[in-house]
Amino acid sequence: MGTSVYLFSGGQLRRKDNTLVFESPDGTKYLPVENIQEIYLFGEVDLTKSLLEFCSQKEILLHIFNSEYEYYMGTFYPREHLNAGHVTVKQVEYYLDPQRRLDLARRFVEGAARNMLQVLKYYRNRGKKVEGHLERIQELEGKIPETAEVPALMALEGNIREQYYRAFDAIVLQEDFQFDRRTRRPPENHLNTLISFGNSLLYSAVLRETYKTHLDPRIGYLHTSNYRRFSLNLDVAEIFKPILVDRLIFTVLGKKMITRRDFDAKLEGIYLKESGRKVFVSEWERRLGTTIRHRSIGREVSYRRLIRLELYKVEKHVVEGEEYRPFVAQW
Amino acid sequence: MEDEIRINGTLVWYYTFCPREAWLMSRQMTPDEDDENVVIGRFLHENRQPRGRKEVEVGHSKLDVVRRDSGTLVVTEVKKSRHSLKGARMQVLFYLIELRKRGIEAEGELVVPEERKVERVVLTQEDRVKIEQTVEELRALLRRATPPPPKRIPACKRCAYGEYCWA
Ligand code: SF4
């Protein structure tokens, strides 16, 4: 299985014969291309067309972040290599049929809500005051089947998430990391910055796994396919945000691995500095590599693998009509 | 739809293990390419043509053939282990029938390089009936809009669809 490379500083990424070379003020780094599956570019990096060609040929994804504000800009997604027309046709069929699309979209929201509840229950059992939020989410969750259209479902999902984020203050209990309200571009406070950064890493990870299936990441169900380049990864990411991103945030804040000093306030918002990004990313990699016992597969699988399995389930839903049941964390 | 179903030897081979696998393959739903067994299979495929062998297309299949000094045409099929020989035999028999339909008499052989094993395959009347029956079943299976659901069988353990099927 391929690895991920994170390039934090600025520099030049070039192809040199059969390797990738990253030249930066910190020195020259050779990257063993046979193993790399994706590269994250955070700094101001110069790329050439021949490099892109090389990445395409080696099936390497490039995730590009704005170098000043480090928000996610996009992914260079090499030409599809596992093409199965039949799967694409089925994916589109489900997208075009309003009932079937809504049904799938509801499953993503349902899975997201269930995982949020798991996270909150865990903290409730450790004495955090999240009971009220928990109950309200349960109430809202009950309305998922009543939604008649995707936009209404999206709105409901927004309400659920809002309740959920409000519980963060009771979990984090730090003056420096109050939630206030969700702001995205740009994030206007420290907690929002962490959420945005973590979510971007997750979107990219799901995209990378999608590349290894027959699914077309442009066709999503909850997130509309109209104007976004990729949307299926956003759908599937909903399931994993609470378990992967939010838990990580609680860890790095709880252990004070990231503090206010790791941020920069700029004209347009609050940003994580390189020090903070490095900590976050190394925790992220650790988390993705963590394994859990998978009952039907019959062995331990990593969270990264679990993302792939989730995509397989979506593929089976559209191709075989086998109902997709989202992964729900056990604790 | 009818004539879009292209039966080839590889599908016959998959079918003998697991009908579901044959269906998935027929829709180009190739399995997980990180899977070790797929890597070995690809390696064998890329490295299996010693001198004097030729890949020829017959119907929808690609066959490895050699011509012996005696003048006999021999279809060879290389597999990575003895486990798969029963299925491989079906596959070769299928090729022999395809060739005979085109007026070509040939023999087959199964090769397991790692075990230095070579087995001869000759088409009998009995085989013929059996293969034709199998191909009919396979055709019916592939006509279905969805694959049969996964069933736990011994082959699952080494199958590259494992994670897809059991996720
Ligand atoms: S995992 Fe088992 S059921 Fe699935 S295709 Fe392979 S052999 Fe068939």
Side-chain angles (χ1 to χ4, degrees):
Chain A
M1 252 206 276
T3 55
S4 313
V5 171
Y6 298 85
L7 299 177
F8 293 98
S9 53
Q12 202 191 21
L13 187 61
R14 292 191 292 116
R15 168 189 183 166
K16 195 177 173 200
D17 304 323
N18 255 333
T19 52
L20 287 174
V21 186
F22 183 57
E23 282 165 346
S24 74
D26 306 338
T28 304
K29 214 171 161 176
Y30 287 85
L31 309 167
V33 74
E34 293 310 332
N35 248 327
I36 300 175
Q37 168 106 59
E38 58 179 349
I39 304 177
Y40 287 77
L41 303 171
F42 293 113
E44 184 65 42
V45 179
D46 291 334
L47 308 171
T48 60
K49 185 173 161 230
S50 83
L51 173 97
L52 295 178
E53 274 165 6
F54 190 53
C55 287
S56 183
Q57 183 197 336
K58 296 288 174 192
E59 295 165 7
I60 297 172
L61 279 67
L62 298 177
H63 308 295
I64 301 159
F65 287 67
N66 174 293
S67 42
E68 203 176 345
Y69 301 114
E70 67 267 341
Y71 58 75
Y72 173 70
M73 299 213 309
T75 296
F76 172 74
Y77 196 76
R79 196 154 38 94
E80 297 282 348
H81 66 299
L82 288 186
N83 234 322
H86 183 72
V87 179
T88 316
V89 167
K90 286 298 186 183
Q91 232 187 308
V92 172
E93 257 177 44
Y94 272 73
Y95 179 75
L96 292 178
D97 178 338
Q99 249 355 83
R100 288 204 263 184
R101 178 177 168 197
L102 182 65
D103 172 60
L104 246 179
R106 276 186 192 140
R107 290 167 195 269
F108 291 121
V109 177
E110 183 67 42
R114 304 260 308 267
N115 281 312
M116 287 182 224
L117 289 168
Q118 285 306 89
V119 168
L120 295 190
K121 279 179 192 158
Y122 172 81
Y123 283 101
R124 180 187 59 190
N125 297 343
R126 305 184 123 210
K128 307 275 185 177
K129 295 199 170 46
V130 296
E131 187 64 37
H133 301 286
L134 221 155
E135 282 167 9
R136 254 160 282 153
I137 293 176
Q138 275 164 336
E139 245 168 64
L140 292 168
E141 189 198 10
K143 296 193 175 141
I144 295 173
E146 297 166 18
T147 49
E149 275 170 342
V150 172
L153 180 65
M154 272 292 246
L156 181 61
E157 196 265 347
N159 292 340
I160 292 175
R161 203 163 280 281
E162 190 68 20
Q163 276 305 323
Y164 168 69
Y165 283 137
R166 291 200 175 284
F168 277 31
D169 288 347
I171 296 170
V172 175
L173 290 172
Q174 286 184 42
E175 206 46 54
D176 285 351
F177 292 94
Q178 291 284 307
F179 177 66
D180 186 27
R181 66 192 170 90
R182 180 80 181 110
T183 50
R184 289 184 178 79
R185 280 189 185 194
E188 286 165 9
N189 68 40
H190 300 81
L191 191 54
N192 272 302
T193 299
L194 291 180
I195 294 172
S196 293
F197 188 64
N199 287 351
S200 306
L201 292 178
L202 177 59
Y203 296 146
S204 312
V206 180
L207 199 52
R208 163 191 157 160
E209 295 307 312
T210 310
Y211 191 69
K212 291 289 190 171
T213 72
H214 304 93
L215 291 166
D216 187 325
R218 292 169 300 182
I219 305 162
Y221 299 91
L222 175 63
H223 294 84
T224 173
S225 300
N226 290 342
Y227 52 89
R228 269 186 226 261
R229 179 78 177 83
F230 301 121
S231 49
L232 184 65
N233 61 327
L234 307 188
D235 288 0
V236 173
E238 294 298 334
I239 309 291
F240 292 101
K241 279 179 189 172
I243 341 166
L244 295 179
V245 177
D246 304 333
R247 281 197 168 134
L248 191 157
I249 292 175
F250 300 143
T251 305
V252 295
L253 292 183
K255 294 187 179 164
K256 302 240 182 322
M257 296 163 82
I258 289 182
T259 66
R260 197 117 178 186
R261 280 194 299 277
D262 294 303
F263 295 82
D264 249 346
K266 289 184 190 167
L267 214 54
E268 292 174 50
I270 309 277
Y271 299 93
L272 249 187
K273 286 200 284 209
E274 191 173 319
S275 58
R277 273 182 269 158
K278 281 189 168 158
V279 170
F280 201 104
V281 161
S282 82
E283 277 300 296
W284 173 249
E285 276 290 307
R286 216 169 53 85
R287 189 152 298 239
L288 284 183
T290 308
T291 58
I292 59 164
R293 173 117 199 120
H294 192 290
R295 252 179 266 134
S296 56
I297 301 271
R299 57 180 161 75
E300 302 263 315
V301 295
S302 66
Y303 274 113
R304 186 188 284 291
R305 205 64 183 174
L306 211 56
I307 295 176
R308 172 97 62 94
L309 298 181
E310 205 65 8
L311 289 157
Y312 284 154
K313 279 150 67 181
V314 174
E315 190 171 331
K316 275 194 287 191
H317 183 96
V318 296
V319 172
E320 308 183 23
E322 191 191 310
E323 291 197 2
Y324 167 55
R325 286 203 197 84
F327 170 78
V328 179
Q330 294 303 304
W331 54 275
Chain B
M1 221 28 209
E2 192 78 8
D3 45 15
E4 274 177 35
I5 299 166
R6 316 169 74 161
I7 308 277
N8 62 34
T10 327
L11 281 180
V12 172
W13 186 54
Y14 290 129
Y15 183 67
T16 60
F17 288 99
C18 172
R20 176 174 166 83
E21 188 170 356
W23 191 99
L24 294 170
M25 275 298 189
S26 76
R27 301 305 198 268
Q28 274 76 49
M29 291 176 65
T30 44
D32 180 5
E33 53 174 27
D34 293 342
D35 190 279
E36 198 187 331
N37 290 304
V38 180
V39 179
I40 295 170
R42 200 187 300 138
F43 177 83
L44 273 181
H45 184 79
E46 282 162 8
N47 297 282
R48 73 175 188 186
Q49 295 206 34
R51 231 168 309 174
R53 285 199 182 161
K54 259 210 196 101
E55 207 175 54
V56 294
E57 255 178 78
V58 175
H60 301 301
S61 307
K62 276 202 183 108
L63 288 59
D64 281 344
V65 293
V66 278
R67 197 177 283 280
R68 287 279 143 73
D69 293 339
S70 55
T72 335
L73 192 66
V74 182
V75 177
T76 59
E77 186 56 37
V78 186
K79 294 292 180 211
K80 67 174 189 238
S81 84
R82 148 190 6 233
H83 292 297
S84 50
L85 282 193
K86 204 168 139 252
R89 202 169 164 271
M90 294 285 273
Q91 183 181 353
V92 170
L93 288 170
F94 172 81
Y95 292 145
L96 297 182
I97 290 178
E98 290 281 291
L99 286 171
R100 186 174 286 180
K101 278 187 198 151
R102 290 164 177 79
I104 303 164
E105 290 298 325
E107 280 183 15
E109 69 180 15
L110 299 173
V111 187
V112 186
E114 272 174 46
E115 297 172 23
R116 295 175 179 276
K117 193 178 151 92
V118 179
E119 196 182 297
R120 205 160 152 252
V121 183
V122 190
L123 183 66
T124 65
Q125 184 55 31
E126 199 183 323
D127 289 327
R128 218 186 133 126
V129 175
K130 196 168 143 212
I131 296 286
E132 271 163 8
Q133 216 174 334
T134 306
V135 169
E136 261 329 294
E137 283 168 27
L138 175 55
R139 233 180 257 287
L141 168 88
L142 298 185
R143 247 179 249 133
R144 292 171 50 167
T146 56
K151 247 197 265 159
R152 275 276 180 216
I153 53 171
C156 291
K157 248 185 262 144
R158 282 172 289 118
C159 177
Y161 282 107
E163 291 195 344
Y164 173 77
C165 288
W166 303 107

